[in-house]
Amino acid sequence: MASPEVPQPPMGMLAELTHRCPLQCPYCSNPVALERRRQELDTATWQRVFADAAELGVLQVHLSGGEPALRPDLPELVQACADAGLYSNLITAGVNINRARLETLADAGLDHVQLSVQGATPEVTDHIANMAGAHARKRAFAAEVTDIGLPLTLNAVIHRANLHQIDDFVELALELGARRLEIAHAQYYGWALVNRAALMPSREQVMAAVERVEAARERLQGRLVIDAVVPDYHARFPKPCMNGWGRQSLNVTPSGKVLPCHAAETIPHLEFWNVADHGLREIWYDSPAFNAYRGTDWMPETCQSCERKEIDWGGCRCQALMLTGDAAQMDPVCEKSPYHDEVQTLAVLDAAGDADFTYRRFARTTQGA
Amino acid sequence: MTAIQESDIVRLPRGVRLREDKQRGGWVLLAPERVFQLDGIAQTVVSEVDGERSVGTIIDRLCDTYQAPRERIAEDVTSMFAGLVEKRVLEVM
């Protein structure tokens, strides 16, 4: 029997600084049960986490949310990343950062900005984000980013309501001076799962979109880097979720819980450790949640004997749980899964649906009138 | 494929950084949401990029380091740079 491999240190960390956000996108990757402001880690704790992350081997930190710019201490947190030698990436909606604040962030050592765009036109963006004027603000913000000289990536999550805008997203990226464009099909967890019937595209739409992306990528080689996150339910093989559980990256929630991926809390039996109680190194190597599906030992027989086991890493655990009831099942998207046909049927049914968005919001707290 | 001339001057654009990776060993090029792990040769070549030297000068300097025909080094360096330019982690000034 082979001895268990020692896990490699992580390379990337997603830091969810807050779950608060001015936008209400119906596919938000945050959990449906959003963490509240009073639960958020303080400045000093985040500074310690960044120093620990660098020490552990993390190279890049993605400062995310919610909207990370709602934290008044964002420049100090960027500075902490820079001090630790970490590459800092600000993932923002771009609706609440003015020129002066952006300059402060750049001076603190910010390396890169990723701006979300919900649509390629004001009507689509403002509708999907449920915020009037959002698109115009994003355009103005993008202009400031490139004017200051920071590299800019546009990130577009695509689904049934904006899938027709692929070429327009590409044009927008060129016009705004982005160096990179990410076109990511919605992944159906959290809010996107709630809204699946309003978001799911048909197989034909997906294929047409993939073609548009490929054509643009070829045409713009050397001018614009286009990265695509492939659609899931319509695929033959699962995505290599996180490139393997506990293999390359970790996620810290606003309250300090450390997760193998941002959706991992949907698996109820996992035990997550918090940076308030444990060091990041200890969490990465020893916490039950990180070791639950690390490597290949946990895999069912079909995966064990599959030549793709270290390509797909068994796919996504959250999706396995969601669609089969068992997180240790093979990802049901895989054509070798006994659930594969059901997933395809489900995608077809949802694509034919006509549901309205349920916007991402904090649940109302029950208080006396 | 982008053609690189020996007279070109190249630089790492803002948002791209070369640094040592002490935990894993070796050097990495950090770019927007990507990490390129460099082998020893790639690290030596990228370390030569300072935004002032021409590609030809870089090739000459590498000839002093490596005992290999200039022609071969020139071919390796220009094709490596062309690949990096396409990925937008290197730019011709």
Side-chain angles (χ1 to χ4, degrees):
Chain A
M1 215 179 103
S3 59
E5 274 180 52
V6 179
Q8 290 289 305
M11 300 180 90
M13 179 166 94
L14 184 74
E16 291 177 356
L17 300 181
T18 178
H19 278 165
R20 292 172 288 133
C21 187
L23 307 191
Q24 299 183 356
C25 308
Y27 50 75
C28 181
S29 63
N30 288 158
V32 175
L34 296 164
E35 293 179 3
R36 307 273 172 170
R37 180 178 205 157
R38 61 176 181 275
Q39 300 170 279
E40 291 175 10
L41 297 180
D42 61 16
T43 311
T45 307
W46 274 117
Q47 287 167 325
R48 172 173 61 79
V49 169
F50 294 138
D52 285 354
E55 164 67 28
L56 177 58
V58 168
L59 298 169
Q60 294 190 318
V61 170
H62 309 285
L63 300 166
S64 181
E67 171 52 59
L70 288 176
R71 294 267 314 206
D73 58 356
L74 184 60
E76 287 145 271
L77 300 182
V78 168
Q79 182 76 53
C81 290
D83 290 347
L86 294 163
Y87 188 102
S88 56
N89 173 26
L90 178 67
I91 299 181
T92 179
V95 297
N96 65 342
I97 305 177
N98 63 22
R99 171 89 186 196
R101 189 119 196 268
L102 187 59
E103 279 173 354
T104 308
L105 294 171
D107 292 344
L110 184 65
D111 285 298
H112 173 248
V113 175
Q114 188 201 103
L115 170 65
S116 67
V117 281
Q118 286 64 29
T121 51
E123 302 70 43
V124 176
T125 296
D126 296 3
H127 169 60
I128 294 171
N130 201 26
M131 180 184 178
H135 194 78
R137 289 209 208 178
K138 284 165 182 285
R139 289 189 64 113
F141 173 72
E144 303 282 20
V145 171
T146 49
D147 187 52
I148 285 176
L150 281 167
L152 174 70
T153 288
L154 287 196
N155 173 284
V157 173
I158 55 169
H159 45 79
R160 201 162 74 219
N162 65 6
L163 206 67
H164 59 288
Q165 292 198 312
I166 300 275
D167 289 344
D168 308 305
F169 280 121
V170 172
E171 279 313 307
L172 184 66
L174 290 172
E175 190 192 327
L176 296 178
R179 220 186 269 178
R180 203 169 147 267
L181 170 65
E182 249 178 47
I183 296 193
H185 281 262
Q187 303 284 317
Y188 296 101
Y189 312 96
W191 291 94
L193 183 63
V194 173
N195 282 294
R196 199 173 58 191
L199 296 170
M200 182 73 75
S202 72
R203 189 177 173 79
E204 292 68 34
Q205 287 174 316
V206 166
M207 293 306 150
V210 168
E211 258 176 50
R212 304 309 301 159
V213 171
E214 280 311 310
R217 185 187 270 156
E218 195 133 315
R219 182 162 51 88
L220 297 168
Q221 212 173 53
R223 265 181 86 196
L224 181 69
V225 176
I226 304 180
D227 285 331
V229 175
V230 292
D232 206 7
Y233 282 33
H234 296 287
R236 287 176 58 206
F237 298 117
K239 60 179 176 286
C241 198
M242 308 306 289
N243 283 319
W245 185 274
R247 225 178 125 250
Q248 291 183 344
S249 42
L250 45 82
N251 178 47
V252 184
T253 76
S255 69
K257 275 182 283 186
V258 188
L259 319 176
C261 83
H262 60 257
E265 284 181 284
T266 57
I267 305 176
H269 67 266
L270 291 181
E271 180 190 330
F272 303 105
W273 290 2
N274 193 297
V275 294
D277 312 314
H278 300 273
L280 209 56
R281 176 177 297 273
E282 191 189 0
I283 297 175
W284 177 255
Y285 290 107
D286 301 331
S287 71
F290 276 87
N291 283 318
Y293 305 110
R294 189 173 248 156
T296 55
D297 285 354
W298 62 271
M299 289 181 180
E301 174 45 36
T302 316
C303 295
Q304 290 288 357
S305 56
C306 178
E307 71 284 0
R308 295 180 61 86
K309 81 171 168 181
E310 292 192 353
I311 298 171
D312 299 333
W313 298 99
C316 171
R317 298 305 85 228
C318 304
Q319 186 143 280
L321 174 74
M322 224 155 48
L323 299 175
T324 76
D326 177 6
Q329 256 284 340
M330 53 195 300
D331 189 328
V333 160
C334 182
E335 63 178 5
K336 295 182 181 176
S337 163
Y339 296 91
H340 178 75
D341 291 345
E342 278 178 48
V343 172
Q344 304 270 308
T345 308
L346 208 147
V348 171
L349 288 177
D350 274 345
D354 188 22
D356 289 331
F357 291 153
T358 302
Y359 287 114
R360 167 213 200 272
R361 281 171 196 162
F362 284 90
R364 283 198 186 82
T365 45
T366 43
Q367 287 173 346
Chain B
M1 196 90 167
T2 328
I4 298 284
Q5 312 297 327
E6 287 209 14
S7 56
D8 288 342
I9 294 171
V10 290
R11 69 172 173 199
L12 299 181
R14 185 160 175 188
V16 178
R17 288 202 272 128
L18 177 69
R19 64 158 265 200
E20 194 179 0
D21 181 1
K22 291 208 178 88
Q23 278 75 11
R24 272 161 292 259
W27 286 68
V28 287
L29 204 52
L30 300 177
E33 296 180 55
R34 280 178 307 170
V35 175
F36 299 89
Q37 289 172 299
L38 305 179
D39 62 20
I41 294 175
Q43 182 230 325
T44 309
V45 176
V46 175
S47 304
E48 287 290 323
V49 173
D50 65 355
E52 285 173 17
R53 291 177 195 136
S54 70
V55 174
T57 306
I58 291 174
I59 294 166
D60 291 338
R61 287 168 57 90
L62 291 168
C63 283
D64 295 338
T65 311
Y66 296 101
Q67 309 296 315
R70 190 182 192 284
E71 203 176 303
R72 221 189 103 203
I73 290 182
E75 199 182 297
D76 289 352
V77 168
T78 50
S79 79
M80 183 199 288
F81 282 172
L84 295 176
V85 168
E86 260 177 30
K87 296 185 183 82
R88 298 216 57 182
V89 292
L90 186 74
E91 58 189 22
V92 176
M93 293 169 68

